[in-house]
Tab-separated table of all heavy atoms in Angstrom:
chain	number	residue	atom	x	y	z
A	1059	ASN	N	21.775	5.844	0.671
A	1059	ASN	CA	20.743	6.522	1.462
A	1059	ASN	C	20.087	5.568	2.442
A	1059	ASN	O	19.899	5.888	3.615
A	1059	ASN	CB	19.670	7.113	0.551
A	1059	ASN	CG	20.118	8.415	-0.079
A	1059	ASN	OD1	20.969	9.108	0.458
A	1059	ASN	ND2	19.570	8.728	-1.231
A	1062	PHE	N	22.408	4.786	5.200
A	1062	PHE	CA	22.423	5.891	6.153
A	1062	PHE	C	21.192	5.821	7.060
A	1062	PHE	O	21.283	5.976	8.280
A	1062	PHE	CB	22.456	7.208	5.370
A	1062	PHE	CG	22.324	8.434	6.222
A	1062	PHE	CD1	23.246	8.703	7.218
A	1062	PHE	CD2	21.287	9.328	6.014
A	1062	PHE	CE1	23.133	9.834	7.998
A	1062	PHE	CE2	21.156	10.465	6.799
A	1062	PHE	CZ	22.077	10.715	7.782
A	1181	ILE	N	8.953	3.763	-1.117
A	1181	ILE	CA	9.144	5.123	-0.597
A	1181	ILE	C	10.598	5.536	-0.781
A	1181	ILE	O	10.891	6.633	-1.254
A	1181	ILE	CB	8.764	5.221	0.897
A	1181	ILE	CG1	7.306	4.837	1.091
A	1181	ILE	CG2	9.007	6.623	1.420
A	1181	ILE	CD1	6.877	4.822	2.538
A	1182	ALA	N	11.515	4.625	-0.432
A	1182	ALA	CA	12.935	4.966	-0.511
A	1182	ALA	C	13.349	5.271	-1.951
A	1182	ALA	O	14.104	6.198	-2.214
A	1182	ALA	CB	13.779	3.823	0.048
A	1183	ALA	N	12.825	4.496	-2.892
A	1183	ALA	CA	13.296	4.648	-4.265
A	1183	ALA	C	12.532	5.722	-5.032
A	1183	ALA	O	13.103	6.448	-5.840
A	1183	ALA	CB	13.167	3.314	-4.989
A	1184	LEU	N	11.227	5.820	-4.782
A	1184	LEU	CA	10.398	6.609	-5.696
A	1184	LEU	C	9.632	7.760	-5.046
A	1184	LEU	O	8.808	8.383	-5.705
A	1184	LEU	CB	9.380	5.686	-6.390
A	1184	LEU	CG	9.960	4.582	-7.274
A	1184	LEU	CD1	8.877	3.606	-7.679
A	1184	LEU	CD2	10.612	5.187	-8.511
A	1185	ALA	N	9.893	8.032	-3.775
A	1185	ALA	CA	9.090	9.048	-3.094
A	1185	ALA	C	9.000	10.336	-3.899
A	1185	ALA	O	7.925	10.887	-4.104
A	1185	ALA	CB	9.650	9.321	-1.707
A	1186	LYS	N	10.126	10.800	-4.363
A	1186	LYS	CA	10.143	12.096	-5.048
A	1186	LYS	C	9.311	12.087	-6.343
A	1186	LYS	O	8.401	12.899	-6.486
A	1186	LYS	CB	11.613	12.499	-5.306
A	1186	LYS	CG	11.831	13.990	-5.376
A	1186	LYS	CD	11.705	14.668	-4.022
A	1186	LYS	CE	11.432	16.157	-4.254
A	1186	LYS	NZ	11.189	16.885	-3.025
A	1187	PRO	N	9.609	11.165	-7.290
A	1187	PRO	CA	8.796	11.165	-8.509
A	1187	PRO	C	7.307	10.902	-8.265
A	1187	PRO	O	6.466	11.455	-8.982
A	1187	PRO	CB	9.398	10.040	-9.361
A	1187	PRO	CG	10.453	9.393	-8.564
A	1187	PRO	CD	10.746	10.237	-7.388
A	1188	LEU	N	6.974	10.104	-7.243
A	1188	LEU	CA	5.568	9.777	-7.006
A	1188	LEU	C	4.767	10.969	-6.505
A	1188	LEU	O	3.544	10.981	-6.572
A	1188	LEU	CB	5.459	8.626	-6.005
A	1188	LEU	CG	5.776	7.250	-6.564
A	1188	LEU	CD1	5.705	6.203	-5.473
A	1188	LEU	CD2	4.827	6.898	-7.695
A	1189	THR	N	5.486	11.978	-5.985
A	1189	THR	CA	4.796	13.170	-5.505
A	1189	THR	C	3.947	13.772	-6.614
A	1189	THR	O	2.873	14.318	-6.363
A	1189	THR	CB	5.823	14.202	-5.032
A	1189	THR	OG1	6.734	13.535	-4.187
A	1189	THR	CG2	5.174	15.314	-4.290
A	1369	ILE	N	4.255	9.280	2.029
A	1369	ILE	CA	4.915	10.002	0.934
A	1369	ILE	C	4.480	11.475	0.850
A	1369	ILE	O	5.332	12.362	0.866
A	1369	ILE	CB	4.733	9.264	-0.413
A	1369	ILE	CG1	5.566	7.974	-0.385
A	1369	ILE	CG2	5.154	10.137	-1.591
A	1369	ILE	CD1	5.530	7.180	-1.671
A	1371	LEU	N	3.361	13.289	3.103
A	1371	LEU	CA	3.843	13.966	4.306
A	1371	LEU	C	5.327	14.286	4.188
A	1371	LEU	O	5.765	15.404	4.438
A	1371	LEU	CB	3.606	13.080	5.529
A	1371	LEU	CG	4.249	13.581	6.826
A	1371	LEU	CD1	3.411	14.704	7.406
A	1371	LEU	CD2	4.410	12.478	7.833
A	1372	LEU	N	6.105	13.297	3.769
A	1372	LEU	CA	7.554	13.478	3.759
A	1372	LEU	C	8.029	14.358	2.597
A	1372	LEU	O	9.013	15.070	2.717
A	1372	LEU	CB	8.253	12.118	3.684
A	1372	LEU	CG	8.164	11.265	4.961
A	1372	LEU	CD1	8.721	9.882	4.723
A	1372	LEU	CD2	8.912	11.939	6.104
A	1373	THR	N	7.339	14.294	1.457
A	1373	THR	CA	7.856	15.033	0.300
A	1373	THR	C	7.193	16.387	0.107
A	1373	THR	O	7.771	17.270	-0.508
A	1373	THR	CB	7.677	14.230	-0.997
A	1373	THR	OG1	6.299	13.937	-1.152
A	1373	THR	CG2	8.478	12.949	-0.957
A	1374	LEU	N	5.949	16.558	0.607
A	1374	LEU	CA	5.279	17.845	0.416
A	1374	LEU	C	4.965	18.534	1.739
A	1374	LEU	O	4.657	19.713	1.774
A	1374	LEU	CB	3.952	17.644	-0.323
A	1374	LEU	CG	4.010	17.285	-1.808
A	1374	LEU	CD1	2.617	16.962	-2.306
A	1374	LEU	CD2	4.593	18.441	-2.601
A	1375	GLY	N	5.002	17.755	2.824
A	1375	GLY	CA	4.586	18.314	4.106
A	1375	GLY	C	3.080	18.407	4.201
A	1375	GLY	O	2.541	19.096	5.058
A	1389	MET	N	6.351	17.189	14.081
A	1389	MET	CA	7.522	17.827	13.451
A	1389	MET	C	7.609	19.289	13.866
A	1389	MET	O	8.666	19.780	14.228
A	1389	MET	CB	7.391	17.761	11.928
A	1389	MET	CG	7.618	16.397	11.329
A	1389	MET	SD	7.695	16.593	9.537
A	1389	MET	CE	7.908	14.918	9.020
A	1394	ILE	N	10.871	21.311	13.210
A	1394	ILE	CA	11.158	20.933	11.825
A	1394	ILE	C	10.018	21.444	10.963
A	1394	ILE	O	8.855	21.257	11.299
A	1394	ILE	CB	11.265	19.402	11.690
A	1394	ILE	CG1	12.497	18.931	12.444
A	1394	ILE	CG2	11.326	18.966	10.236
A	1394	ILE	CD1	12.534	17.460	12.668
A	1395	VAL	N	10.345	22.099	9.864
A	1395	VAL	CA	9.309	22.610	8.988
A	1395	VAL	C	8.953	21.525	7.975
A	1395	VAL	O	9.773	21.176	7.137
A	1395	VAL	CB	9.791	23.874	8.252
A	1395	VAL	CG1	8.716	24.374	7.310
A	1395	VAL	CG2	10.184	24.944	9.250
A	1396	PRO	N	7.743	20.936	8.079
A	1396	PRO	CA	7.394	19.872	7.135
A	1396	PRO	C	7.289	20.467	5.730
A	1396	PRO	O	6.740	21.539	5.546
A	1396	PRO	CB	6.017	19.401	7.606
A	1396	PRO	CG	5.765	20.090	8.895
A	1396	PRO	CD	6.632	21.297	8.947
A	1397	GLY	N	7.850	19.781	4.766
A	1397	GLY	CA	7.811	20.295	3.409
A	1397	GLY	C	8.827	19.582	2.555
A	1397	GLY	O	9.504	18.654	3.029
A	1398	PRO	N	8.943	20.014	1.302
A	1398	PRO	CA	9.839	19.322	0.370
A	1398	PRO	C	11.299	19.344	0.818
A	1398	PRO	O	12.097	18.542	0.354
A	1398	PRO	CB	9.679	20.109	-0.921
A	1398	PRO	CG	8.390	20.829	-0.787
A	1398	PRO	CD	8.202	21.107	0.664
A	1399	LEU	N	11.634	20.261	1.713
A	1399	LEU	CA	13.047	20.377	2.078
A	1399	LEU	C	13.468	19.456	3.222
A	1399	LEU	O	14.646	19.405	3.563
A	1399	LEU	CB	13.385	21.826	2.442
A	1399	LEU	CG	13.279	22.804	1.269
A	1399	LEU	CD1	13.690	24.196	1.709
A	1399	LEU	CD2	14.129	22.355	0.098
A	1400	VAL	N	12.526	18.725	3.786
A	1400	VAL	CA	12.860	17.829	4.896
A	1400	VAL	C	13.961	16.862	4.459
A	1400	VAL	O	14.909	16.586	5.193
A	1400	VAL	CB	11.614	17.055	5.374
A	1400	VAL	CG1	11.994	15.903	6.283
A	1400	VAL	CG2	10.679	17.990	6.121
A	1401	MET	N	13.837	16.378	3.213
A	1401	MET	CA	14.787	15.389	2.712
A	1401	MET	C	16.216	15.936	2.654
A	1401	MET	O	17.164	15.234	2.990
A	1401	MET	CB	14.354	14.959	1.315
A	1401	MET	CG	14.879	13.604	0.902
A	1401	MET	SD	14.657	13.322	-0.845
A	1401	MET	CE	12.947	12.970	-0.967
A	1402	THR	N	16.369	17.195	2.257
A	1402	THR	CA	17.714	17.758	2.157
A	1402	THR	C	18.192	18.369	3.469
A	1402	THR	O	19.363	18.258	3.815
A	1402	THR	CB	17.791	18.833	1.046
A	1402	THR	OG1	16.561	19.549	1.039
A	1402	THR	CG2	18.031	18.207	-0.305
A	1403	ASN	N	17.275	19.003	4.208
A	1403	ASN	CA	17.699	19.672	5.438
A	1403	ASN	C	17.917	18.712	6.592
A	1403	ASN	O	18.806	18.917	7.418
A	1403	ASN	CB	16.663	20.716	5.862
A	1403	ASN	CG	16.680	21.922	4.946
A	1403	ASN	OD1	17.564	22.030	4.091
A	1403	ASN	ND2	15.728	22.818	5.113
A	1404	THR	N	17.061	17.708	6.695
A	1404	THR	CA	17.197	16.749	7.795
A	1404	THR	C	17.184	15.331	7.230
A	1404	THR	O	16.226	14.585	7.451
A	1404	THR	CB	16.061	16.900	8.827
A	1404	THR	OG1	14.835	17.073	8.108
A	1404	THR	CG2	16.266	18.045	9.760
A	1405	PRO	N	18.247	14.966	6.486
A	1405	PRO	CA	18.254	13.625	5.879
A	1405	PRO	C	18.188	12.521	6.925
A	1405	PRO	O	17.645	11.452	6.646
A	1405	PRO	CB	19.579	13.587	5.110
A	1405	PRO	CG	20.401	14.674	5.675
A	1405	PRO	CD	19.472	15.714	6.190
A	1406	ASP	N	18.709	12.778	8.140
A	1406	ASP	CA	18.657	11.716	9.152
A	1406	ASP	C	17.219	11.391	9.516
A	1406	ASP	O	16.846	10.245	9.700
A	1406	ASP	CB	19.471	12.106	10.396
A	1406	ASP	CG	19.006	13.412	11.001
A	1406	ASP	OD1	18.539	14.287	10.236
A	1406	ASP	OD2	19.106	13.575	12.228
A	1407	LEU	N	16.366	12.444	9.553
A	1407	LEU	CA	14.960	12.223	9.859
A	1407	LEU	C	14.291	11.461	8.723
A	1407	LEU	O	13.608	10.464	8.918
A	1407	LEU	CB	14.263	13.568	10.064
A	1407	LEU	CG	12.771	13.457	10.321
A	1407	LEU	CD1	12.510	13.220	11.788
A	1407	LEU	CD2	12.035	14.695	9.876
A	1408	PHE	N	14.516	11.920	7.507
A	1408	PHE	CA	13.851	11.341	6.337
A	1408	PHE	C	14.230	9.871	6.166
A	1408	PHE	O	13.369	8.990	6.169
A	1408	PHE	CB	14.227	12.148	5.098
A	1408	PHE	CG	13.497	11.733	3.864
A	1408	PHE	CD1	12.251	12.263	3.576
A	1408	PHE	CD2	14.055	10.819	2.979
A	1408	PHE	CE1	11.570	11.887	2.438
A	1408	PHE	CE2	13.378	10.436	1.832
A	1408	PHE	CZ	12.138	10.966	1.569
A	1409	TRP	N	15.518	9.595	6.044
A	1409	TRP	CA	15.946	8.220	5.777
A	1409	TRP	C	15.838	7.349	7.022
A	1409	TRP	O	15.529	6.165	6.927
A	1409	TRP	CB	17.374	8.206	5.215
A	1409	TRP	CG	17.418	8.880	3.877
A	1409	TRP	CD1	17.930	10.105	3.579
A	1409	TRP	CD2	16.869	8.381	2.647
A	1409	TRP	NE1	17.735	10.409	2.265
A	1409	TRP	CE2	17.092	9.367	1.657
A	1409	TRP	CE3	16.197	7.205	2.278
A	1409	TRP	CZ2	16.677	9.211	0.340
A	1409	TRP	CZ3	15.795	7.055	0.970
A	1409	TRP	CH2	16.028	8.043	0.015
A	1410	GLY	N	16.056	7.962	8.185
A	1410	GLY	CA	15.920	7.200	9.423
A	1410	GLY	C	14.499	6.698	9.610
A	1410	GLY	O	14.263	5.556	9.998
A	1412	ILE	N	12.262	6.163	7.228
A	1412	ILE	CA	11.955	5.138	6.225
A	1412	ILE	C	12.542	3.786	6.646
A	1412	ILE	O	11.855	2.767	6.620
A	1412	ILE	CB	12.485	5.573	4.840
A	1412	ILE	CG1	11.648	6.745	4.335
A	1412	ILE	CG2	12.427	4.411	3.851
A	1412	ILE	CD1	12.150	7.359	3.058
B	451	SER	N	10.903	25.770	-0.199
B	451	SER	CA	11.355	24.963	-1.331
B	451	SER	C	11.051	25.630	-2.660
B	451	SER	O	11.443	25.142	-3.714
B	451	SER	CB	10.668	23.602	-1.286
B	451	SER	OG	9.292	23.759	-1.541
Side-chain angles (χ1 to χ4, degrees):
Chain A
N1059 281 335
F1062 174 60
I1181 300 176
L1184 297 169
K1186 208 72 200 175
L1188 284 177
T1189 311
I1369 290 183
L1371 171 78
L1372 289 172
T1373 58
L1374 288 173
M1389 287 189 182
I1394 293 166
V1395 178
L1399 294 183
V1400 167
M1401 203 193 284
T1402 36
N1403 288 352
T1404 43
D1406 57 328
L1407 177 85
F1408 186 86
W1409 295 106
I1412 290 174
Chain B
S451 68

